[in-house]
Amino acid sequence: MGSIDANPAAFAAFGAAGVDDGFQPLNAEDVRSYLHKSVDFIYDYYKNVESLPVLPGVEPGYLRRLLQSVPPTSSAPFDIAMKEVREAVVPGMTHWASPNFFAFFPSTNSAAAIAGELIASAMNTVGFTWQANPAATEMEVLALDWLAQLLRLPASFMNRTAGGRGTGGGVILGTTSEAMLVTLVSARDAALRRIGSDGVAGITRLTVYAADQTHSTFFKACRLAGFDPANIKSIPTGADTDYGLDPAKLLEIMEADVAAGLVPTYICATVGTTSSNAVDPVGAIADVAAVACICPEFRHHLDGVERVDSISMSPHKWLMTCLDCTCLWVRDTHRLTDSLETNPEYLKNDASESGTVTDLKDMQVGVGRRFRGLKLWMVMRTYGSAKLQEHIRSDVAMAKMFEESVRADDRFEVVVPRNFALVCFRIKPQGAMTEEDAEEANRELMERLNRTGKAYLAHTAIGGKFVLRFAVGSSLQEERHVRSAWELIKKTTTEIIKGEM
Amino acid sequence: MGSIDANPAAFAAFGAAGVDDGFQPLNAEDVRSYLHKSVDFIYDYYKNVESLPVLPGVEPGYLRRLLQSVPPTSSAPFDIAMKEVREAVVPGMTHWASPNFFAFFPSTNSAAAIAGELIASAMNTVGFTWQANPAATEMEVLALDWLAQLLRLPASFMNRTAGGRGTGGGVILGTTSEAMLVTLVSARDAALRRIGSDGVAGITRLTVYAADQTHSTFFKACRLAGFDPANIKSIPTGADTDYGLDPAKLLEIMEADVAAGLVPTYICATVGTTSSNAVDPVGAIADVAAVACICPEFRHHLDGVERVDSISMSPHKWLMTCLDCTCLWVRDTHRLTDSLETNPEYLKNDASESGTVTDLKDMQVGVGRRFRGLKLWMVMRTYGSAKLQEHIRSDVAMAKMFEESVRADDRFEVVVPRNFALVCFRIKPQGAMTEEDAEEANRELMERLNRTGKAYLAHTAIGGKFVLRFAVGSSLQEERHVRSAWELIKKTTTEIIKGEM
């Protein structure tokens, strides 16, 4: 039998190393130097982003003409990469950080969030189980409980372990799509178990429901989970409900489905749709996308949340947390883990087996996961709820002023009532303009505005009409940017209408 | 009709602002100050991480006892959050960055990757379509093409647009699980279309295959995609093929399935399994998990890749790129987009409609996506392929030396031949020890090692035996750390065996 020093061969092997330690990609001095250079770049970027064209004027394939297409063999100073970022990347970017960005929804951000993300990237832990990084798991749970308190979610959505107070739990995912997918799969599996003997073929009987204004990613998530396209029911909405889901119409369709032997499995309700910020008034069922509900005056949109099974919202949208950060809360974590738990030998550990900890890998698609709780916690810890509410109110106030300006100019109409910080408007038919002319004028308005580089707006279709979307809330945005954009919109509209008439 | 200055009401509305611009969470000065503080913290962290216990000794719920459980209302200086990170977070972390981390697979990292991630977090763009950030889309495509060249993938996997040379394409996803899920869904939908009239009920006939050593997340991804658990075939492996998939056995099972009217839909092959780094020798079908193949001497493990439909590998594992970064290449992007494309009105734009650009949202689960191409490009741009290969060879050389030391000590056995930088070993039965005693001794060895805080090893089960996994490659690791860990293993084994005998 061997003993401590009975293996001279082993020592010899190590002695004859031949291992080259010369390449140290994580050397602390290099890390500090590269990061300080990056911070200087970021400072300059924020100082200048307002003057950059929001939408770049590049053609497809532009980058490959500027950068080498073959991977380099030799090392290069970090300054070379930074030079190429300045000269080739920045000119081809759509600047979401620009205060002149009014398209889609803004991706808000903050100093605290970037710092949290940076530190998490450097620590670079993979917290799939509690044991794999207890601090990351517990901070994620804490941040979710904090945010649940700001949203005044029922205690049943609070975390059930680690000193939590409730029976439910939460997880941070990458996108709302993933939150939809995991809850759809969990609802699907529970329904299949309920209907029994058909096995997976039973899926042909399962139905899901959402308003036609629901984000397209919901319908994609349903297809990923294997639902029959014919059973994914898109409920028509109209101006009579401000494009929100009509509960009476939903009930009618569900009752007909039940009568036909189908099994209603999942309803998705949205508070603030992407298209027009419509609010689905389904108290009993809410897929919550509206960060604004941390403000008491908007919280009524979540009334009835105590009767839903799951809720998600994305701090990377309006809570100044850089991508990606989608929060999902569920009332009963077992309904998720029944579908998503894995337990391979190499991840087994005493803490998991004790049942006293949360292993967040069992509430998401993958196994690996970043330390995303840190940035979310840092945002709330540093700014406090009062400032977060103030920020949302300021965005809503700016959108309200913009809306009032649009309403006061009789060339325009506000197409749906503004609920939060999105204004949906268009040039209305006037003078000799037909409805077709107006459609063309609105398309032309958006294209001309975006070509100036001084503003970027997106569009949607509401009631079959082409409508411009003016989304307020980019983190660097101030009143003067909204005011300038409105001046540009008026001036461009005058040019277009003169040309038309 | 209105005109530029015909709307005094609009000006009045803006004039009576009442909007509070006082809270500026993305103020450039604050960003610079918070980030410099974070960089100093990271520098200290890397300087000290070697002396911190790799696994923390905290109990479940520890964090909630140290931090406030109610979200703060008021703002606090950033230094307060940093103080809590130092005092409450760091002591509860499992330090994946520690050079004494030998568990799972390391999450490698580098100065260039962290810098790329930081800059991407600050730019915070959402590149779902080419138009939404041309630079991000084109850099992702370029980085994937560079890496494909390093792996010597066939040109058919190169990007088909933006000046690319091939007909295929790639996308960066968050995890291998997502790569499995999107390719499984695409294969499922194509098979359902092929078999025709059954609709989604046809899924009961679709079968998928993988070796029993395949990561558990594959079986989970199959369930997410709705496959029948009975049709997810886990092919037994054994010591005769070093736990790699036996192509003859696979063929036999598939032929029996076809004879029974089933439809083989997907085979997953792994180069370097998580459990033991086994290599599935299925030239025709390779789900590539082995970054090592950027070194010519390991490339033969990918032979036959020209006949597979998709390949994925994760630079966040061994290519010094911080989480998350999984690369997926496919030969025919339409097979993915057929299942994953969405086209809502608010994302329509001329570039997408021209068909000349790649909209990466159509090759992933969600819509939103970070600018992950930047860090991957920065790693290759800054270090160059020669250094990346050198790094992998150095890790393999250290693992080889460790393996030789284990083999030279007759108390141990190497359970499966080492392929890359993972050594699977155990204390073998010796003296009066039974097989059960040896099992117990190995568990005890792992627990005692991990309790010291001086090393962290994980385990797996191979052929029914409890086996320790020694994974070399953490970015700060040098030969001396491997040597110290081996000394600790020998010393601890002597103590255990003395107690046993």
Side-chain angles (χ1 to χ4, degrees):
Chain A
M1 176 174 303
S3 73
I4 293 182
D5 43 7
N7 292 297
F11 284 119
F14 277 119
V19 172
D20 183 354
D21 289 336
F23 178 45
Q24 299 184 321
L26 203 58
N27 173 286
E29 273 71 25
D30 285 345
V31 171
R32 184 165 61 180
S33 151
Y34 289 20
L35 291 181
H36 279 317
K37 285 175 183 179
S38 302
V39 174
D40 290 345
F41 166 84
I42 291 166
Y43 179 83
D44 291 344
Y45 178 73
Y46 284 140
K47 282 289 187 189
N48 294 323
V49 68
E50 179 171 351
S51 65
L52 302 175
V54 195
L55 259 187
V58 297
E59 293 297 316
Y62 93 96
L63 191 69
R64 211 172 278 251
R65 289 188 282 273
L66 296 175
L67 299 180
Q68 58 184 99
S69 60
V70 172
T73 306
S74 320
S75 301
F78 181 65
D79 293 347
I80 299 286
M82 285 308 299
K83 182 168 184 289
E84 292 181 352
V85 167
R86 278 195 191 84
E87 295 176 1
V89 175
V90 172
M93 291 219 349
T94 301
H95 297 290
W96 288 64
S98 168
N100 300 316
F101 183 97
F102 300 99
F104 311 114
F105 288 127
S107 64
T108 63
N109 205 354
S110 62
I114 304 171
E117 184 75 47
L118 169 60
I119 292 169
S121 298
M123 290 171 160
N124 204 33
T125 65
V126 194
F128 34 69
T129 56
W130 179 86
Q131 193 207 37
N133 189 352
T137 300
E138 298 203 10
M139 178 150 270
E140 184 160 331
V141 165
L142 181 68
L144 287 160
D145 278 0
W146 275 16
L147 192 49
Q149 289 173 63
L150 293 185
L151 291 166
R152 291 197 270 142
L153 296 187
S156 53
F157 289 101
M158 303 284 185
N159 193 65
R160 75 190 151 84
T161 55
R165 303 178 308 182
T167 54
V171 64
I172 298 180
L173 304 171
T175 60
T176 305
S177 310
E178 190 183 348
M180 288 171 165
L181 178 63
V182 296
T183 53
L184 276 165
V185 164
S186 130
R188 178 198 69 188
D189 292 350
L192 289 176
R193 281 192 298 271
R194 264 199 319 274
I195 63 177
S197 59
D198 291 351
V200 298
I203 196 160
T204 53
R205 293 176 54 202
L206 309 188
T207 52
V208 298
Y209 306 85
D212 60 2
Q213 294 292 303
T214 305
H215 197 290
S216 59
T217 202
F218 172 70
F219 302 99
K220 173 170 165 179
C222 292
R223 295 199 314 270
L224 285 169
F227 286 93
D228 191 331
N231 290 353
I232 304 168
K233 309 287 176 101
S234 172
I235 317 290
T237 60
D240 55 330
T241 59
D242 292 338
Y243 298 92
L245 183 60
D246 178 350
K249 205 178 282 179
L250 173 67
L251 188 63
E252 189 186 318
I253 294 174
M254 285 175 67
E255 284 176 346
D257 285 345
V258 171
L262 299 173
V263 180
T265 302
Y266 192 102
I267 305 169
C268 173
T270 309
V271 176
T273 61
T274 299
S275 175
S276 69
N277 255 353
V279 172
D280 290 339
V282 189
I285 312 106
D287 175 71
V288 177
V291 172
C293 299
I294 71 167
C295 296
E297 67 271 31
F298 298 116
R299 173 57 176 73
H300 66 91
H301 291 301
L302 289 189
D303 285 355
V305 69
E306 61 281 2
R307 298 192 303 280
V308 310
D309 294 319
S310 68
I311 309 167
S312 78
M313 61 96 91
S314 295
H316 63 223
K317 284 260 166 61
W318 209 2
L319 208 64
M320 284 155 287
T321 306
C322 49
L323 293 166
D324 46 1
C325 186
T326 290
C327 297
L328 168 68
W329 294 270
V330 293
R331 182 192 305 290
D332 180 358
T333 54
H334 288 105
R335 293 190 42 192
L336 275 186
T337 57
D338 281 353
S339 288
L340 302 173
E341 190 175 341
T342 56
N343 195 19
E345 186 65 31
Y346 40 86
L347 297 182
K348 283 183 183 158
N349 63 83
D350 291 343
S352 295
E353 278 160 33
S354 74
T356 59
V357 299
T358 300
D359 288 334
L360 292 171
K361 74 177 173 57
D362 296 332
M363 294 171 70
Q364 62 177 18
V365 169
V367 178
R369 56 198 331 278
R370 293 180 301 127
F371 189 173
R372 284 183 288 217
L374 187 61
K375 61 184 171 185
L376 180 57
W377 174 81
M378 276 203 169
V379 166
M380 293 187 281
R381 182 71 188 93
T382 300
Y383 301 124
S385 58
K387 287 284 181 199
L388 298 177
Q389 291 171 347
E390 176 186 320
H391 182 77
I392 283 166
R393 287 178 183 134
S394 152
D395 288 346
V396 171
M398 287 195 282
K400 188 163 181 285
M401 287 189 305
F402 181 87
E403 181 195 24
E404 283 163 5
S405 306
V406 173
R407 288 193 190 280
D409 186 327
D410 59 12
R411 299 175 299 173
F412 299 97
E413 66 176 331
V414 172
V415 181
V416 285
R418 180 195 51 77
N419 279 316
F420 303 105
L422 172 69
V423 181
C424 292
F425 72 104
R426 65 169 201 147
I427 300 173
K428 61 186 179 191
Q430 50 204 269
M433 272 171 116
T434 62
E435 186 58 59
E436 288 68 40
D437 293 338
E439 168 96 5
E440 188 49 45
N442 281 295
R443 286 185 187 275
E444 181 69 23
L445 174 58
M446 186 178 79
E447 274 161 33
R448 285 203 201 178
L449 289 171
N450 291 351
R451 262 202 310 274
T452 63
K454 291 178 184 162
Y456 179 25
L457 278 73
H459 75 285
T460 189
I462 301 179
K465 288 172 186 158
F466 181 95
V467 174
L468 278 82
R469 294 170 76 267
F470 190 86
V472 173
S474 165
S475 299
L476 294 173
Q477 224 154 54
E478 299 169 24
E479 190 191 325
R480 64 191 170 90
H481 301 106
V482 177
R483 183 197 291 263
S484 298
W486 173 235
E487 292 303 321
L488 186 64
I489 290 166
K490 286 195 298 180
K491 176 170 159 288
T492 310
T493 299
T494 301
E495 290 163 11
I496 290 169
I497 288 180
K498 270 190 186 139
E500 287 273 331
M501 315 279 289
Chain B
M1 176 176 303
S3 73
I4 293 182
D5 45 5
N7 291 296
F11 284 118
F14 276 119
V19 172
D20 182 357
D21 288 337
F23 177 45
Q24 299 184 322
L26 203 58
N27 173 286
E29 273 71 26
D30 284 345
V31 171
R32 184 166 59 180
S33 151
Y34 288 20
L35 290 181
H36 279 318
K37 285 176 183 178
S38 301
V39 174
D40 290 343
F41 166 83
I42 291 167
Y43 179 83
D44 291 344
Y45 177 73
Y46 283 139
K47 283 289 189 190
N48 293 323
V49 67
E50 179 172 352
S51 65
L52 302 175
V54 195
L55 258 187
V58 297
E59 293 298 315
Y62 93 96
L63 191 69
R64 212 172 276 251
R65 288 188 281 273
L66 297 175
L67 299 179
Q68 57 185 99
S69 58
V70 172
T73 306
S74 319
S75 299
F78 182 64
D79 292 347
I80 299 287
M82 285 308 300
K83 182 170 184 287
E84 293 182 351
V85 167
R86 278 195 190 85
E87 295 176 2
V89 175
V90 172
M93 292 216 352
T94 301
H95 297 289
W96 288 65
S98 168
N100 299 315
F101 183 96
F102 300 98
F104 312 115
F105 288 127
S107 65
T108 62
N109 205 355
S110 62
I114 304 171
E117 183 75 48
L118 169 60
I119 292 169
S121 299
M123 290 172 161
N124 203 35
T125 66
V126 193
F128 34 69
T129 56
W130 178 86
Q131 192 206 39
N133 189 353
T137 299
E138 297 202 11
M139 179 150 271
E140 184 160 330
V141 165
L142 180 68
L144 286 161
D145 277 0
W146 276 16
L147 193 49
Q149 289 174 62
L150 292 187
L151 290 166
R152 291 196 271 144
L153 296 186
S156 54
F157 288 101
M158 303 283 186
N159 193 64
R160 75 192 152 84
T161 57
R165 304 177 307 181
T167 55
V171 63
I172 298 181
L173 304 172
T175 59
T176 305
S177 310
E178 189 181 349
M180 289 171 166
L181 179 63
V182 296
T183 52
L184 276 164
V185 164
S186 130
R188 178 199 71 190
D189 292 351
L192 289 176
R193 281 192 298 272
R194 263 198 321 274
I195 63 178
S197 59
D198 290 350
V200 297
I203 196 161
T204 54
R205 293 175 54 200
L206 309 187
T207 52
V208 297
Y209 306 86
D212 59 2
Q213 294 292 302
T214 305
H215 198 290
S216 59
T217 201
F218 172 71
F219 303 98
K220 173 170 166 178
C222 293
R223 295 199 314 270
L224 285 169
F227 287 93
D228 191 331
N231 290 354
I232 304 168
K233 309 285 177 104
S234 171
I235 317 289
T237 60
D240 54 330
T241 58
D242 293 338
Y243 298 93
L245 184 60
D246 178 351
K249 206 177 282 179
L250 173 67
L251 189 63
E252 187 186 319
I253 294 174
M254 286 174 67
E255 284 176 345
D257 285 344
V258 170
L262 298 173
V263 180
T265 302
Y266 191 102
I267 306 169
C268 172
T270 309
V271 175
T273 61
T274 299
S275 173
S276 69
N277 256 352
V279 172
D280 290 340
V282 189
I285 312 108
D287 175 71
V288 177
V291 172
C293 298
I294 70 167
C295 296
E297 67 272 31
F298 297 116
R299 174 57 176 72
H300 67 92
H301 290 301
L302 289 189
D303 285 354
V305 69
E306 62 281 1
R307 297 191 304 280
V308 310
D309 293 319
S310 68
I311 310 168
S312 79
M313 61 94 91
S314 295
H316 63 224
K317 283 262 167 61
W318 208 2
L319 208 64
M320 285 155 284
T321 306
C322 49
L323 292 166
D324 44 2
C325 186
T326 290
C327 297
L328 168 68
W329 293 269
V330 293
R331 181 191 307 288
D332 180 358
T333 54
H334 289 105
R335 293 188 45 189
L336 274 186
T337 58
D338 281 353
S339 289
L340 302 173
E341 190 175 342
T342 57
N343 195 19
E345 186 65 31
Y346 39 86
L347 297 183
K348 283 182 183 158
N349 64 83
D350 292 344
S352 295
E353 278 159 34
S354 74
T356 59
V357 300
T358 300
D359 289 334
L360 292 171
K361 72 177 174 59
D362 296 332
M363 294 170 69
Q364 62 177 18
V365 168
V367 179
R369 57 197 331 279
R370 293 181 299 130
F371 188 172
R372 283 182 290 217
L374 187 61
K375 60 184 172 185
L376 179 57
W377 174 81
M378 275 203 168
V379 165
M380 291 187 283
R381 182 72 189 90
T382 301
Y383 300 123
S385 58
K387 287 284 181 198
L388 298 177
Q389 291 171 347
E390 176 186 319
H391 181 77
I392 283 165
R393 287 177 183 135
S394 151
D395 288 346
V396 171
M398 286 195 282
K400 186 162 182 284
M401 286 190 302
F402 182 86
E403 180 195 25
E404 284 165 3
S405 306
V406 173
R407 287 192 191 281
D409 187 325
D410 60 13
R411 299 175 299 174
F412 299 98
E413 65 176 331
V414 172
V415 181
V416 287
R418 181 194 51 76
N419 278 317
F420 304 105
L422 172 68
V423 180
C424 293
F425 73 103
R426 64 168 202 149
I427 300 173
K428 62 185 179 191
Q430 49 203 271
M433 274 170 115
T434 62
E435 187 57 60
E436 288 69 38
D437 293 338
E439 170 95 5
E440 188 49 45
N442 280 296
R443 286 185 188 274
E444 180 69 23
L445 174 59
M446 186 179 79
E447 274 160 34
R448 285 202 201 180
L449 288 170
N450 291 351
R451 262 202 310 274
T452 64
K454 293 179 183 160
Y456 180 25
L457 278 74
H459 75 285
T460 191
I462 301 178
K465 288 172 187 162
F466 182 96
V467 173
L468 279 81
R469 294 171 76 267
F470 191 87
V472 173
S474 165
S475 299
L476 294 173
Q477 223 154 55
E478 299 169 24
E479 189 191 326
R480 63 190 171 92
H481 301 107
V482 177
R483 184 198 289 264
S484 297
W486 172 236
E487 291 303 320
L488 185 64
I489 290 166
K490 286 196 297 180
K491 177 168 158 291
T492 311
T493 300
T494 300
E495 289 164 8
I496 290 170
I497 289 180
K498 269 189 187 142
E500 285 273 334
M501 315 280 287

